[in-house]
Structure formats: structure tokens, C-alpha cells
Amino acid sequence: EKKKNGFYKESHIIGFDGRLHEEKGLDTLINSFYNLSRRFEHLYLMLAGDGPDRARLEVMVHNLGIEKKVIFLGFKNKDEIPLFLNTIDIFVLPSKIRESFGIVIIEAMAVGKIVVASDIGGIPEIIERGVNGFLFTPGSEKELTDHLSRILSDEKMKQKIEANALRRVKERFSVEVMIKNLERIFDQ
């Protein structure tokens, strides 16, 4: 998908999908990306979504001088999300304040993407730290940068965690599993 979308095959693309709002912690992600982009060539950030913080985030990206490496995609409908997820390598959900369940995390894991997300709300019910993804303290640019740097530097570890993530989704969140869980509830 990368080559088809105009990226080098050796590019690494970090992605986010959600509302562009202060509570989503995108300033943490952008600052982390800025630091990483100075160390990793062919690194890009794709932000899918729209919201009240978009203009401020675009100014931030411009002020950091990374506007050629950060792509604001705008709102993507349900049908466009699979293409987006298949284009990126790493999915980040940097929420600062709250995040209920994070269905987008399951969607990313279901297509074999490694996820780095805030240790907040229902997210730890999906991600087992260092096994099928990574969790970081909300707002911690250092923790996020460390996780992303490790992923970008260790392809073997990345592939192992992606495989674990895919297995976790199939074991806990597949349609078949959800139906069995509902049947169990109804049988009680």
C-alpha cells in the first residue's frame, strides 16, 4: 500500500485516527514525532480526523519545520479507514484525559499493526504491555518516544508484537467470540 500511496517502500509511517481535540494528546505525538524524525529518515506522520484543534496543530507542525513529514488527512469515513490502516506501520492513540474502549485500537490490531497507546480508560483491557502493544503514561512524550524508537529500531520485535496483537483480536474480539459471549450472557 505504501508504494501505491506515494511513499518509499522503506518509509515508516506513524498514524492516528480520531478527533483533533486537545484531550487526544496530539501535541505529545507531534513533539515525539519531531524528535524521532531527526533520527529516522523516511519517517512520516499521518493524522486522520478533524476537529477544533486542527489549525493549532498545523501551526505547531509548521513551527517545528516538519510540514513535509506530517500529513493531515481530514475526516475519513468508515470505508476509508482500512486503506489508512494498511498504509501506516504504527498506530498511536495518545489520549490525555479519557478513552473508553478504543475500537480504533482493535481495528488497527486486526490488520496487524503495532499499537502504542495511553495507559488510560479501557485501553489496558486491550493492550498487554510489551506483549501485543505498548502503553505509556498520558502526556509522557519521553515514554512515547522511547516506545516508538524501540519499534523503529527492532523489526523482529515489531513483527512478534504485531502477530500477538492479531492473535489477541481473534481470541477476544472476533465476531465468533462476541457471539459466544452474548450466548453465555443470555443463557444465565
Side-chain angles (χ1 to χ4, degrees):
E1 292 297 330
K2 280 186 204 171
K3 212 166 190 176
K4 196 189 319 180
N5 289 308
F7 292 97
Y8 294 106
K9 190 169 173 48
E10 60 273 2
S11 295
H12 295 284
I13 304 168
I14 297 169
F16 165 85
D17 175 36
R19 194 159 182 260
L20 305 186
H21 190 279
E22 187 178 355
E23 69 187 24
K24 290 295 184 180
L26 292 166
D27 51 337
T28 302
L29 175 56
I30 290 169
N31 282 323
S32 176
F33 174 81
Y34 169 73
N35 291 321
L36 291 164
S37 70
R38 297 164 75 202
R39 291 183 9 228
F40 295 95
E41 194 180 9
H42 304 302
L43 184 65
Y44 297 91
L45 176 60
M46 294 178 82
L47 303 173
D50 219 338
D53 238 16
R54 181 172 177 157
R56 183 185 70 81
L57 294 170
E58 287 175 332
V59 168
M60 180 183 182
V61 163
H62 176 76
N63 289 342
L64 291 170
I66 53 175
E67 58 274 326
K68 290 185 176 156
K69 293 189 157 265
V70 179
I71 301 137
F72 288 87
L73 298 171
F75 175 79
K76 294 289 167 200
N77 67 44
K78 199 171 70 173
D79 298 332
E80 296 171 302
I81 296 302
L83 177 60
F84 166 73
L85 291 173
N86 281 310
T87 301
I88 66 171
D89 299 293
I90 304 166
F91 183 83
V92 178
L93 189 61
S95 301
K96 282 185 177 178
I97 299 170
R98 61 193 152 101
E99 195 65 54
S100 54
F101 186 65
I103 192 80
V104 71
I105 291 173
I106 293 171
E107 291 172 337
M109 291 168 71
V111 294
K113 300 304 170 179
I114 192 165
V115 175
V116 182
S118 298
D119 188 358
I120 195 168
I123 295 172
E125 293 176 36
I126 305 167
I127 296 177
E128 193 176 340
R129 204 179 282 271
V131 175
N132 64 353
F134 291 98
L135 297 171
F136 67 97
T137 305
S140 176
E141 186 183 314
K142 183 191 180 328
E143 286 180 39
L144 176 57
T145 302
D146 288 349
H147 288 315
L148 291 171
S149 180
R150 184 171 170 211
I151 293 164
L152 292 165
S153 302
D154 190 344
E155 184 62 30
K156 207 173 211 174
M157 180 268 308
K158 178 180 175 281
Q159 290 173 355
K160 181 180 174 196
I161 289 180
E162 287 170 339
N164 290 341
L166 192 54
R167 190 175 318 108
R168 173 74 169 230
V169 169
K170 286 179 181 174
E171 289 171 355
R172 291 202 47 210
F173 304 106
S174 69
V175 173
E176 295 82 11
V177 170
M178 299 301 236
I179 289 170
K180 283 180 187 172
N181 289 339
L182 284 172
E183 287 172 343
R184 232 179 283 142
I185 291 169
F186 290 130
D187 288 344
Q188 290 178 351

